[in-house]
Amino acid sequence: MSNTRVVVIGGGYAGTLAANRLRQRPDLEVTLVNPRPVFVERIRLHQLVADTGAATADYGTLLGEGIQLVVDAVERIDTADRRLLLTSGTALAYDYLIYAVGSTGVVPAQDAVPGAAEFAHSICDLESAQRLRYALADLPLNAPVTVVGGGLTGIETASELAEQGRPVTLVCGGTLGTSLSKRGRRSVAKQLRRLEVTIAETVAVSEVRWDSVVLSDGAVLPSAATVWTAGFTVPDLATRSGLRTDELGRLLTDETLTSVDDDRIVAAGDAAAPSGQPLRMSCQAAEPLGAQAAETVLARIAGQTPAALKQAFVGQCISIGRSRGTLQFARTDDTPVNLALGGRTTAAIKERICRGTLWAIRREAAKPGSYFWLKGGNRPAQPAADEQVAIK
């Protein structure tokens, strides 16, 4: 009798940890499909742009023995025949599938924000970050840079570039750090201003030009490089494959992370929408989701009932350049409390967290089943089928 074949789509934080955890059963054939031959540390891409650190790791140091890495992209999931149709033209059969395709940034179309698609840079994938790094290298240090988006990615990018001595304007289009408490926002704003970052909270960008941005109040802001960090989306693979998703394209699952359409498909990471109520897109959520997705597959193979999703949060840690940061505390359901710490100690904590993500993956490779995550938190009540949000 042949071994059970489990394929993981996506070699990010969730997918790589899931693949390693599956090795608790030595009789499984585990394959990881990823479009790049290297692991991308998404949480360090702002460092890559600023040339203050690398953002890739060798899969040879991350994957456990026996896991096959296929460097390719998936065009479609053929659920009827349980196979993946790859960009290379080949097909890959599976018995169980873990869907961990992750997320990426969004640059608005021409009709939404003229010039953004042509002139703005993204920072949310390796290739875009590399292009921005090369573009910045060709600019003098005093050339103005605009970062669009007041979320955590925008904050970290703006501070990383400002610490180099670049004049940076952060255009929030609303509140700075919407996921933070009032104290957390004050801490971030204080440290950004120490780096001489200009914070524009009440305006948005209405047009991007090659050398400037036009703000919603009509002001024209010189900008030799414009970085767009506002908004995230997910690949449309699930939608193309006829699986039900939420309005953003995340795969709809039950509380065991199993697809509502196919019990042989389990989701993890940013592209999962458990009960139509996804967790915040973050590394903090991705690795536990990867572990829990693997446990669901292992339970189904063993003929057992998979456990429901159980995950707790502790807060958010934001780097403000290489020397400072803000630690925002949160309730276990990921809602912020009005308690935050800022300063140099926080920068050291953030660096330990970043290193810890890869350490956890490597430990799981060496000792499958060893990964531990905080359990608890409140999951939103599962809506009735006719109440689920924007199913397609």
Side-chain angles (χ1 to χ4, degrees), residues 241-263:
S241 303
L243 297 165
R244 281 184 287 176
T245 67
D246 68 4
E247 61 182 357
L248 197 65
R250 291 172 288 219
L251 184 67
L252 279 174
T253 76
D254 63 15
E255 286 294 295
T256 71
L257 300 175
T258 303
S259 166
V260 297
D261 298 310
D262 191 326
D263 64 7

Side-chain angles (χ1 to χ4, degrees), residues 237-319:
L237 175 59
T239 303
R240 294 200 313 267
S241 303
L243 297 165
R244 281 184 287 176
T245 67
D246 68 4
E247 61 182 357
L248 197 65
R250 291 172 288 219
L251 184 67
L252 279 174
T253 76
D254 63 15
E255 286 294 295
T256 71
L257 300 175
T258 303
S259 166
V260 297
D261 298 310
D262 191 326
D263 64 7
R264 296 295 183 112
I265 300 177
V266 179
D270 290 352
S275 304
Q277 302 290 335
L279 281 66
R280 174 170 53 88
M281 290 182 176
S282 64
C283 178
Q284 184 179 175
E287 289 193 344
L289 285 171
Q292 291 175 91
E295 290 297 324
T296 291
V297 171
L298 292 171
R300 292 194 180 280
I301 293 172
Q304 301 168 352
T305 301
L309 175 63
K310 184 174 286 189
Q311 185 165 334
F313 290 81
V314 295
Q316 303 170 62
C317 198
I318 308 105
S319 63

Side-chain angles (χ1 to χ4, degrees), residues 13 41 43-48 52-55 156 160 163 283 316-327 343-360 362:
Y13 297 101
E41 290 188 79
I43 55 179
R44 290 194 187 273
L45 285 176
H46 60 287
Q47 289 184 247
L48 175 67
T52 58
E156 292 192 329
E160 203 78 26
E163 195 174 57
C283 178
Q316 303 170 62
C317 198
I318 308 105
S319 63
I320 311 294
R322 293 296 87 213
S323 59
R324 293 181 178 274
T326 290
L327 176 58
R344 297 184 181 277
T345 300
T346 309
I349 294 172
K350 177 61 184 285
E351 179 58 27
R352 288 177 65 89
I353 291 171
C354 290
R355 292 182 182 181
T357 58
L358 292 192
W359 178 88
R362 292 187 175 112

Side-chain angles (χ1 to χ4, degrees), residues 46 49-50 123 132 136 139-151 153-172 176 189 191-201 213 215 221-229 320-321:
H46 60 287
V49 166
I123 194 179
L132 176 56
L136 290 170
L139 295 176
L141 197 60
N142 63 353
V145 176
T146 301
V147 178
V148 184
T153 302
I155 291 167
E156 292 192 329
T157 303
S159 60
E160 203 78 26
L161 296 176
E163 195 174 57
Q164 294 182 318
R166 294 187 180 276
V168 178
T169 298
L170 178 61
V171 181
C172 301
L176 173 71
Q191 294 176 92
L192 286 174
R193 292 190 179 102
R194 183 177 284 122
L195 292 172
E196 300 184 357
V197 174
T198 301
I199 305 171
E201 284 195 72
V213 296
L215 303 180
L221 187 69
S223 182
T226 301
V227 188
W228 201 281
T229 70
I320 311 294

Side-chain angles (χ1 to χ4, degrees), residues 173-246:
T175 304
L176 173 71
T178 55
S179 64
L180 306 178
S181 67
K182 289 182 179 180
R183 286 188 179 179
R185 287 193 288 273
R186 283 200 299 268
S187 172
V188 168
K190 179 180 178 181
Q191 294 176 92
L192 286 174
R193 292 190 179 102
R194 183 177 284 122
L195 292 172
E196 300 184 357
V197 174
T198 301
I199 305 171
E201 284 195 72
T202 60
V203 292
V205 171
S206 59
E207 182 184 353
V208 180
R209 300 171 181 171
W210 72 272
D211 62 347
S212 61
V213 296
V214 181
L215 303 180
S216 54
D217 62 1
V220 178
L221 187 69
S223 182
T226 301
V227 188
W228 201 281
T229 70
F232 285 82
T233 189
V234 299
D236 64 350
L237 175 59
T239 303
R240 294 200 313 267
S241 303
L243 297 165
R244 281 184 287 176
T245 67
D246 68 4

